[in-house]
Amino acid sequence: MIDSGSLAAFAAGSRLFATGAADSSFQVALDWAASVLGAGVPVVDAGALPPETLCVAVSLYGSTTALGEQLPRGDEPRRVVHALERRLGRRAGAVVALNLAAENALLPVITAALLGVPLVDGDGTGRVFPLIEQTTYTLGGVAATPLELAGPTGDLVGLDTGSGRVEELARPLVLALGGWALAACYPMSAEVLSRVLVPGTVGRLLAAGVPGAPRSLAAPYGVRTLCRGRIAEVGGSTGYGGDRSLPSLPSSIVVQETEGLGRLVRLEAHNEVVLALADGAVAAMAPDQICMISTLDGVVVDVDKAYPGLEVEVMVVRAAPVWHTEEGRALGGLRAFGVPL
């Protein structure tokens, strides 16, 4: 159960490895969740639901910064899910997260509270990826569409397209909707969901967000420290990934290790860090998640906020096993980010 007594812990847990979160938009989502929780949202295992229950994934689509500037009307969750229900001719019986990073952890809670349905304990990535089709749902054969978008201006947009075209079509639509929208997507039965989701991640964030709890609780498949050091250089990358439809430009960050071997660790990034080289040797790579954690406040440092002199701990969050299959690496590994390695 996520209620007024556990919301703060859940919110704190959702930020432990979250990249791309903005303080203003996160606070908007947190205040929104607190205002609609009521008696709380039940958290259930997918396998505990009737097998035919329609489950809908809910996610922020677009800019987190825009969410903090173009405030929600408050009816986006109801509008977007009801639009998908009308298209499918069925009522949704549960909500599930696309991923559980910061705002994307809170928006499914808000939606479940407003609809009076449970939140499934799990998500579709086990970490964060930049594209809406980079999910374990996709790997399990579930299509992202039909997909509905509800914007803060009152608009609704429906999208039904083939695999690989969602980003190309949806991104310009979201810009027209005000820079962000709430997406309802990946409709599937509870029976299918129990097979394709990364289970137990909601419960893990609830536990990890309790003051004094180890950060590792938020990493279901393990986490390790690659190095501790000081950022020595931030600049453009060697040019990989220029043809990818990702919402950022490639960049490169060099960390001088201040403990242990004193290595130079180069972090290659495109929207997120996707490759770590220690003295030229591969030390970590996508689909595992590579995070810079500020040693000053323990907050994840986004690629575009890194600067020389900042002390960081570079941590590697192990991805779910399905991401380490041939299909998983093709969707979320280095080549998916345009890195020919």
Side-chain angles (χ1 to χ4, degrees):
M1 173 75 74
I2 298 176
D3 56 20
S4 58
S6 58
L7 178 62
F10 181 67
S14 76
R15 297 202 71 173
L16 291 174
F17 294 113
T19 57
D23 288 338
S24 59
S25 59
F26 182 75
Q27 192 61 51
V28 167
L30 182 56
D31 290 344
W32 190 3
S35 71
V36 301
L37 260 185
V41 171
V43 178
V44 301
D45 293 337
L49 294 168
E52 70 280 2
T53 303
L54 175 62
C55 301
V56 175
V58 171
S59 176
L60 175 72
Y61 194 100
S63 166
T64 56
T65 301
L67 173 61
E69 297 171 348
Q70 180 83 310
L71 298 179
R73 295 170 20 141
D75 64 349
E76 289 87 354
R78 284 195 184 98
R79 286 193 294 118
V80 76
V81 174
H82 289 336
L84 188 57
E85 290 174 334
R86 288 193 296 271
R87 183 184 293 221
L88 297 171
R90 297 176 59 197
R91 296 297 298 272
V95 169
V96 67
L98 201 66
N99 69 69
L100 286 168
E103 299 91 346
N104 270 330
L106 295 170
L107 290 169
V109 174
I110 294 165
T111 303
L114 290 172
L115 295 177
V117 300
L119 176 69
V120 175
D121 189 3
D123 72 288
T125 61
R127 46 149 300 175
V128 185
F129 284 101
L131 303 183
I132 200 167
E133 290 183 285
Q134 287 177 305
T135 67
T136 59
Y137 307 149
T138 298
L139 292 174
V142 181
T145 57
L147 176 150
E148 297 286 338
L149 297 167
T153 54
D155 299 303
L156 270 172
V157 177
L159 185 62
D160 201 347
T161 185
S163 176
R165 291 265 291 161
V166 176
E167 289 288 335
E168 180 182 353
L169 295 173
R171 197 173 299 164
L173 291 172
V174 169
L175 291 176
L177 289 170
W180 73 272
L182 192 65
C185 50
Y186 287 101
M188 69 188 102
S189 69
E191 182 178 22
V192 172
L193 178 61
S194 65
R195 175 176 56 83
V196 300
L197 93 166
V198 181
T201 48
V202 172
R204 280 186 163 272
L205 295 192
L206 280 165
V210 173
R215 187 185 294 263
S216 59
L217 282 179
Y221 301 98
V223 60
R224 62 185 172 93
T225 295
L226 178 61
C227 75
R228 294 181 177 88
R230 181 179 298 108
I231 294 178
E233 180 184 339
V234 178
S237 79
T238 52
Y240 72 83
D243 60 342
R244 300 295 298 174
S245 57
L246 293 165
S248 75
L249 295 174
S251 59
S252 185
I253 299 163
V254 177
V255 178
Q256 175 65 64
E257 190 174 29
T258 53
E259 299 180 7
L261 299 175
R263 301 168 298 176
L264 278 178
V265 177
R266 178 176 292 276
L267 306 175
E268 294 287 352
H270 197 178
N271 196 78
E272 62 178 76
V273 178
V274 298
L275 175 66
L277 303 170
D279 286 342
V282 174
M285 67 178 74
D288 291 340
Q289 183 179 4
I290 305 168
C291 299
M292 294 179 290
I293 311 293
S294 170
T295 60
L296 293 174
D297 55 15
V299 173
V300 175
V301 179
D302 288 335
V303 170
D304 59 354
K305 293 181 174 64
Y307 58 87
L310 181 64
E311 299 275 353
V312 297
E313 180 177 3
V314 180
M315 303 187 79
V316 182
V317 181
R318 178 76 174 172
V322 69
W323 289 113
H324 289 279
T325 63
E326 183 177 350
E327 295 81 4
R329 286 190 294 270
L331 185 64
L334 286 182
R335 291 187 181 274
F337 292 90
V339 183
L341 185 65

